[in-house]
Amino acid sequence: MLEPRASGPTKRRPGSSATLAFLFTDIEGSTDRWERLPTAMQVAIERHDLILSRAVKNAGGRIFKRVGDAVHAVFPQAFAALCAAIEAQRALHDDGFQDVEYLKVRMAIHIGAVQTRDDDFFGPPLNRLSRMVAAAHGGQILVSDAASIMIDNLPDGAALLDLGQHLLRDVDTPQRLHQLMALGLGSKFPPLKLDSPRRTNIPQQTLALIGRDSELRDMEILARKFRLITLVGPGGVGKTRVGLEFGREAILRYPDGVWVLELASLTDGQLVAESLATLFGGGIALGRLALDTVVSFLRDKSVLIILDSCEHLLLSVAETAEAILRNCAGVSLICTSREPLAVRGERIYRIPSLSFPTHPDAASAESALRHPAVRLFAERGSAAGTGFTVGKENVAAVCTICKRLDGLPLALEIAASHLRALLAHELADLLEKHLIVLGGASRTALPQQQTLQSVFEWSFNLLVADEQTLLKRLAIFAGGFTLESAQAVATDNTIIHSNVFNMLSSLVDKSLVTLVPVGHQTRYRLLESTRSFALGRLAKEEHESLARRLCSFLISFYAEASAEWLDGSTDNWLQIYAPDLDNLRASLEWAFGANGEIELGLELASHSLRLMLELSLFPEIDRWFQATSAHVREDTPLLVKARLLYATSYVHHAWFGGRDAAQPALEAAALFRASGSTLELAQCLVRAGQALSSPTETRHARLLLEESHMLLPPYGDTKVRATCLLSLGVLSDFEGNFLDGYTLLKESADIFQEIEDNFGMRFVLICLAENRFSLGAANDALMFVQQAIDLAVKHNHRHTLSLARMNLAAYQLILGMTGEARETARESLRDANTLGLSSYIVILVEHLALVAALDGKLDRAARMLGYSDRMRLFHGSVREGTEQKIYERLAPLVASIVPREKLIRLAGEGAAWTEGQAVEHAMAI
């Protein structure tokens, strides 16, 4: 007797759920025997029932239902069910049942989660098991794939024969079935008795497909129109998995089945047709071509064929596909390849990477998990047995990993396997520093899919020599590139300028370069993982040469940008010049790095201010233009020196009243005056005038702004002229001439609107609101500032959004809307803190100090006031209109209640705060 490993299942409370193993049996042909031999069958069935009852009990199971001649038994484990089935079949065979012309009992075993009710079991696993029994033959024991997986060791002398995947009646997905083999049991049976002749060899997937619902829907639509769909994309993007999942879902539409042929292991194109012939079980007649054999077999079939990994055998696959499409009307093809087949009737569908959060530091765990890349990484990390979950403490690191790996499923799965040895932030750090090579894919994966490195080696080795060279050189671009920049940077005597377009197109076709439309221009980029691989192939000397060429190209590029900015649409300008921001950053890092060239770096930096200002990159302005001042020498070109000084005036980014910005602007103006660069001189005068403008001192600022205004008419309506008019309008407001100020601001607004400068338009609306509020027209002020907020939200410009909300909070405080002011100021402070807008932070801390004081939190208000007083003194800034009104309400309120000595102590504590501490205390109001 076979020995099972556990005792029988205990009875469970009604309605409970359990995962158990089941054995169903049925007598083949019993109806005919009952009709012909009723008396003998009654005796035979008693012996049949006794044999089954004994076998089930011996194996630790119990029979819970009898339906006619069928027996349903339950076991704690699949192993026990196997033991019972083997013992029962042997005993049934030994009895012989000659009195009823033999009894042939078919059996099936399955495992699954079921519901219990009234000492019975219910659920889909039992429905599936009933279909399995119906498909079996008398004397045969079928075992589901799920049950086979749960069996560590088979009974002595037993084995499982893989029968492949089959569609059972009323079961939508193919099921892999096994036949239990053992001594004393029959081993040869006819094909399973299935209602449908459909077949497939698509392997069963053990892990769920994540984030591909959209692609599968697209393919469903395309498959109705096209018989050849080629799924293209870079290595590791998941082409194979998507193709197989589509095939699995489409199996009911193809009466003759869905079949997959893996081509990666083939090295000879002639083997494509031969492998297809073998797949369909056909021999190749002497003197006949393999392709003819395949076409002849498929001519009257309705089949979907999936040809996987075609890129290295394109010509042979294309010939095979064309012959099948031409001669076999019922056959459809799905091909996966890193490059299209380029045959008539082909529909190319590009499989994209999985989406991921583009701003890792801003993502919450909940929002991050809405992205398929994060979900995939989390699920595979958990499946690795680490207990990994995405939470507040690691969400930024997980998003960084997903971004660094471009959302490539293979890369994410391999990376997730490393969570057995590394925490998420450690893995992210290593990936950011290129200090880890991702290996560790499934041992059963093909060699070219074992590591991410091998994926790229496979693709790289399929390129011709010139394509390999170009790919390596394109890796120097950190933020994508245009055809023009590729031709400027990547060409020399080995790569000819005129050949770049065709070679680039070929790399796009081969899924190694991605095409990225931006506005009205076409850009290209390498996925970061591809770029990292290609950079590793560059020799040090070639890397330095390419970095130098890129830096030189960007100098010309951003010099042109400065000229184009003056009177063009800001949105259109940003579409052209903002996409190269990462290249700009990388080139500055190189130029000021250990192996760079300072002179090139200074010149490039001198042309980069305008882009950084338009994108509100104030921390970068602080960093780079403080750094450049240390490298300017006597022999630095005059205009470069002047532009760098002008840019330095934006360090700490005060617009009006930041007197520390005036000196570098005035020094720059002197240099531009000496060089004869009148337009740039006018810009510097405007900047210096802004810096020196304050409610308490306007004379010097007016002289500078009026000189600039006199210099600008020959250049027409430019952004510089509109900014000059805006600055004169603000200055008039400081002087109390609000009607003159309003006229100047409106003239400025007309120019900004005409030349489509949305940044300038937002800023002038904010100034108009200040003007109207100062005149007591609160409703007009609220209207103007809300228009500025709406524009800032529309264009996702957080700098002017923070400024507009800061002013709105001031109006709300003065109008007695304390609750609204609290929320508005906190929103503004959140953006100001993110962008590093220190001058705004000082003002907002003071706004929220008044909120705190009105709430009765006077100690906190005193500390916050101490912080703002110290920072204003440090930067020499003066409170403007509404800021002064808030201060005049705040300071007396605190001083009237808090004793003087205590007030001095609290203010001193606040004065000692860092900016981060001040923000933390203010946000807590």
Side-chain angles (χ1 to χ4, degrees):
M1 182 179 73
L2 294 167
E3 293 294 331
R5 293 177 294 181
S7 60
T10 58
K11 293 185 178 181
R12 297 177 181 268
R13 61 181 175 82
S16 65
S17 174
T19 299
L20 299 166
F22 294 89
L23 167 66
F24 280 17
T25 75
D26 189 30
I27 299 174
E28 188 178 56
S30 64
T31 302
D32 176 68
R33 288 177 174 77
W34 276 108
E35 290 289 334
R36 294 187 296 106
L37 305 166
T39 303
M41 272 297 286
Q42 187 169 354
V43 176
I45 289 299
E46 290 177 0
R47 300 202 309 276
H48 162 272
D49 290 352
L50 183 62
I51 288 171
L52 284 172
S53 296
R54 185 182 298 119
V56 170
K57 182 178 180 180
N58 289 340
R62 68 181 180 88
I63 295 174
F64 64 91
K65 183 186 288 185
R66 297 179 189 272
V67 182
D69 304 329
V71 171
H72 296 178
V74 60
F75 300 83
Q77 297 167 331
F79 179 86
L82 262 65
C83 292
I86 292 172
E87 181 180 337
Q89 286 288 21
R90 284 173 177 168
L92 290 167
H93 180 269
D94 291 345
D95 183 289
F97 293 96
Q98 294 183 4
D99 49 340
V100 290
E101 301 173 1
Y102 306 107
L103 280 187
K104 294 185 177 181
V105 179
R106 51 193 176 189
M107 301 182 181
I109 296 167
H110 186 38
I111 190 169
V114 295
Q115 297 291 320
T116 64
R117 186 171 68 249
D118 298 330
D119 204 28
D120 200 353
F121 298 90
F122 302 89
L126 301 187
N127 299 333
R128 188 164 298 177
L129 187 54
S130 297
R131 305 304 183 224
M132 288 173 60
V133 173
H137 295 274
Q140 189 175 31
I141 305 171
L142 296 182
V143 180
S144 72
D145 201 48
S148 73
I149 291 171
M150 300 303 295
I151 301 168
D152 296 329
N153 297 296
L154 292 168
D156 291 343
L160 288 175
L161 175 66
D162 188 349
L163 300 179
Q165 297 196 74
H166 302 274
L167 269 178
L168 303 172
R169 183 163 58 90
D170 299 329
V171 179
D172 290 339
T173 57
Q175 305 297 306
R176 183 172 294 280
L177 300 177
H178 306 265
Q179 178 179 311
L180 181 60
M181 314 278 284
L183 294 174
L185 304 186
S187 59
K188 294 185 178 181
F189 298 94
L192 297 180
K193 295 183 287 186
L194 301 169
D195 291 344
S196 168
R198 298 183 182 97
R199 298 288 189 274
T200 186
N201 67 338
I202 295 177
Q204 190 72 26
Q205 301 296 325
T206 58
L207 295 171
L209 180 64
I210 293 173
R212 293 303 192 188
D213 293 345
S214 175
E215 287 78 6
L216 291 171
R217 285 195 298 270
D218 290 346
M219 290 178 65
E220 172 74 23
I221 295 170
L222 292 174
R224 297 176 192 150
K225 301 178 181 178
F226 302 95
R227 290 172 53 215
L228 169 59
I229 301 173
T230 301
L231 306 182
V232 298
V237 81
K239 302 181 293 294
T240 298
R241 185 67 199 276
V242 172
L244 294 181
E245 187 68 15
F246 176 77
R248 187 188 67 78
E249 292 183 359
I251 195 167
L252 294 175
R253 296 200 298 272
Y254 296 93
D256 296 306
V258 176
W259 301 90
V260 57
L261 178 62
E262 169 56 59
L263 302 178
S265 59
L266 302 184
T267 57
D268 184 348
Q270 293 183 354
L271 295 177
V272 174
E274 291 184 16
S275 298
L276 272 174
T278 302
L279 176 67
F280 293 117
I284 303 171
L286 186 64
R288 192 177 190 190
L289 294 175
L291 185 55
D292 292 340
T293 301
V294 171
V295 168
S296 177
F297 175 80
L298 294 174
R299 197 179 302 277
D300 60 350
K301 300 292 191 298
S302 177
V303 174
L304 173 64
I305 301 172
I306 301 172
L307 298 176
D308 188 36
S309 299
C310 303
E311 54 271 354
H312 61 304
L313 301 171
L314 284 175
L315 181 59
S316 298
V317 173
E319 290 174 349
T320 301
E322 281 189 322
I324 291 174
L325 292 176
R326 188 169 56 250
N327 297 288
C328 309
V331 179
S332 295
L333 296 167
I334 300 287
C335 297
T336 74
S337 176
R338 298 177 195 181
E339 184 176 359
L341 303 185
V343 300
R344 186 185 299 275
E346 177 185 32
R347 180 60 160 86
I348 300 166
Y349 186 82
R350 294 194 177 275
I351 302 295
S353 297
L354 297 177
S355 73
F356 51 83
T358 53
H359 301 289
D361 292 335
S364 66
E366 182 181 4
S367 65
L369 284 167
R370 296 192 192 106
H371 293 269
V374 177
R375 290 206 307 276
L376 177 65
F377 183 80
E379 291 201 17
R380 299 304 189 256
S382 177
T386 62
F388 178 79
T389 58
V390 177
K392 182 178 180 181
E393 72 288 346
N394 64 11
V395 62
V398 170
C399 293
T400 298
I401 291 167
C402 294
K403 184 176 182 180
R404 181 69 182 79
L405 297 176
D406 303 300
L408 283 176
L410 175 62
L412 292 170
E413 292 188 354
I414 295 173
S417 70
H418 288 281
L419 293 174
R420 290 190 290 261
L422 296 167
L423 296 175
H425 75 271
E426 293 172 325
L427 179 57
D429 289 343
L430 290 173
L431 287 170
E432 284 290 293
K433 297 171 183 174
H434 304 272
L435 294 178
I436 186 169
V437 176
L438 289 182
S442 168
R443 292 186 179 89
T444 59
L446 292 162
Q448 65 271 22
Q449 296 175 343
Q450 289 280 349
T451 68
L452 199 57
Q453 181 79 5
S454 62
V455 169
F456 296 125
E457 292 281 1
W458 169 265
S459 296
F460 188 77
N461 290 335
L462 293 175
L463 302 177
V464 299
D466 281 354
E467 290 175 338
Q468 291 179 343
T469 300
L470 181 60
L471 181 67
K472 290 188 295 182
R473 293 179 180 179
L474 293 175
I476 200 65
F477 291 100
F481 51 92
T482 61
L483 175 61
E484 176 192 7
S485 56
Q487 289 171 329
V489 174
T491 56
D492 59 9
N493 57 346
T494 59
I495 299 292
I496 302 172
H497 187 281
S498 59
N499 288 346
V500 170
F501 176 72
N502 288 335
M503 294 167 63
L504 192 54
S505 299
S506 178
L507 292 174
V508 171
D509 286 342
K510 293 175 169 67
S511 304
L512 287 166
V513 172
T514 303
L515 189 148
V516 187
V518 178
H520 298 295
Q521 68 171 336
T522 297
R523 290 185 64 84
Y524 304 87
R525 68 180 287 259
L526 274 63
L527 294 181
E528 190 56 36
S529 43
T530 308
R531 178 172 176 261
S532 180
F533 167 81
L535 279 174
R537 291 285 189 133
L538 277 177
K540 182 180 179 180
E541 296 78 11
E542 189 174 12
H543 186 284
E544 295 303 317
S545 174
L546 288 167
R548 187 177 301 105
R549 275 188 261 169
L550 176 58
C551 191
S552 298
F553 169 78
L554 291 175
I555 288 170
S556 300
F557 184 69
Y558 281 111
E560 176 187 280
S562 297
E564 293 288 334
W565 172 84
L566 286 168
D567 57 2
S569 162
T570 305
D571 286 351
N572 293 342
W573 186 88
L574 285 171
Q575 282 188 356
I576 295 170
Y577 296 105
D580 276 285
L581 174 62
D582 285 337
N583 291 324
L584 171 63
R585 287 166 169 160
S587 287
L588 289 171
E589 292 283 359
W590 169 80
F592 291 105
N595 299 313
E597 296 183 16
I598 299 296
E599 293 79 9
L600 287 178
L602 291 173
E603 189 172 2
L604 178 58
S606 75
H607 293 298
S608 65
L609 173 67
R610 188 52 55 195
L611 181 67
M612 293 184 185
L613 282 175
E614 289 290 352
L615 297 177
S616 299
L617 302 176
F618 293 107
E620 294 191 51
I621 290 173
D622 292 356
R623 177 195 173 192
W624 288 115
F625 295 110
Q626 283 178 322
T628 56
S629 61
H631 294 288
V632 173
R633 300 184 313 214
E634 213 39 55
D635 60 347
T636 299
L638 183 66
L639 286 177
V640 171
K641 191 182 300 185
R643 288 170 186 141
L644 291 174
L645 279 167
Y646 172 65
T648 304
S649 73
Y650 284 94
V651 172
H652 304 310
H653 38 80
W655 289 102
F656 289 93
R659 302 185 70 85
D660 55 347
Q663 188 58 38
L666 289 171
E667 291 179 19
L671 294 176
F672 283 126
R673 199 185 300 274
S675 69
S677 182
T678 306
L679 185 57
E680 289 180 291
L681 166 61
Q683 279 186 288
C684 287
L685 293 173
V686 170
R687 180 67 185 129
Q690 289 176 335
L692 293 173
S693 296
S694 77
T696 59
E697 207 288 311
T698 61
R699 186 183 61 83
H700 194 186
R702 180 165 290 282
L703 290 173
L704 295 168
L705 290 170
E706 288 183 348
E707 181 186 357
S708 177
H709 189 243
M710 291 174 59
L711 294 172
L712 286 168
Y715 299 96
D717 286 340
T718 64
K719 293 172 186 174
V720 180
R721 182 165 183 265
T723 304
C724 182
L725 289 167
L726 179 152
S727 303
L728 284 167
V730 172
L731 194 65
S732 295
D733 285 354
F734 287 163
E735 294 169 338
N737 299 320
F738 296 111
L739 293 178
D740 288 347
Y742 184 75
T743 301
L744 288 163
L745 290 171
K746 286 292 289 181
E747 187 179 354
S748 170
D750 290 343
I751 296 174
F752 281 133
Q753 188 167 19
E754 177 67 25
I755 60 179
E756 299 180 29
D757 181 6
N758 290 308
F759 178 87
M761 197 65 207
R762 291 189 296 268
F763 201 73
V764 78
L765 285 169
I766 292 168
C767 295
L768 282 166
E770 286 283 282
N771 175 278
R772 296 288 87 190
F773 198 83
S774 298
L775 280 173
N779 288 335
D780 286 352
L782 293 173
M783 177 191 70
F784 280 130
V785 79
Q786 189 59 52
Q787 287 176 0
I789 289 171
D790 293 343
L791 268 178
V793 170
K794 178 182 177 181
H795 294 280
N796 193 29
H797 198 274
R798 295 168 72 186
H799 170 213
T800 46
L801 182 60
S802 177
L803 175 59
R805 282 176 172 161
M806 179 175 74
N807 287 4
L808 175 59
Y811 306 153
Q812 291 167 335
L813 279 171
I814 294 169
L815 295 171
M817 305 161 64
T818 308
E820 293 90 335
R822 183 201 321 268
E823 293 309 311
T824 304
R826 282 162 54 89
E827 287 180 335
S828 177
L829 181 57
R830 192 175 293 113
D831 280 337
N833 187 46
T834 300
L835 295 172
L837 300 170
S838 297
S839 58
Y840 293 4
I841 289 171
V842 173
I843 297 169
L844 288 160
V845 167
E846 207 161 272
H847 288 0
L848 287 164
L850 178 55
V851 175
L854 293 172
D855 284 349
K857 301 173 183 176
L858 294 166
D859 287 4
R860 178 170 291 184
R863 292 188 182 95
M864 294 167 69
L865 185 55
Y867 172 79
S868 65
D869 278 341
R870 179 180 72 86
M871 295 307 296
R872 286 185 180 279
L873 182 64
F874 179 79
H875 290 295
S877 60
V878 179
R879 292 180 179 89
E880 301 172 8
T882 52
E883 298 165 22
Q884 183 63 27
K885 290 182 180 180
I886 288 172
Y887 178 76
E888 289 171 355
R889 188 178 178 191
L890 169 63
L893 177 59
V894 174
S896 66
I897 299 175
V898 180
R900 178 174 172 77
E901 289 186 5
K902 182 179 181 182
L903 180 58
I904 293 171
R905 176 175 58 80
L906 293 173
E909 291 174 5
W913 282 349
T914 63
E915 184 174 273
Q917 289 172 318
V919 170
E920 183 179 354
H921 283 281
M923 290 298 292
I925 299 301

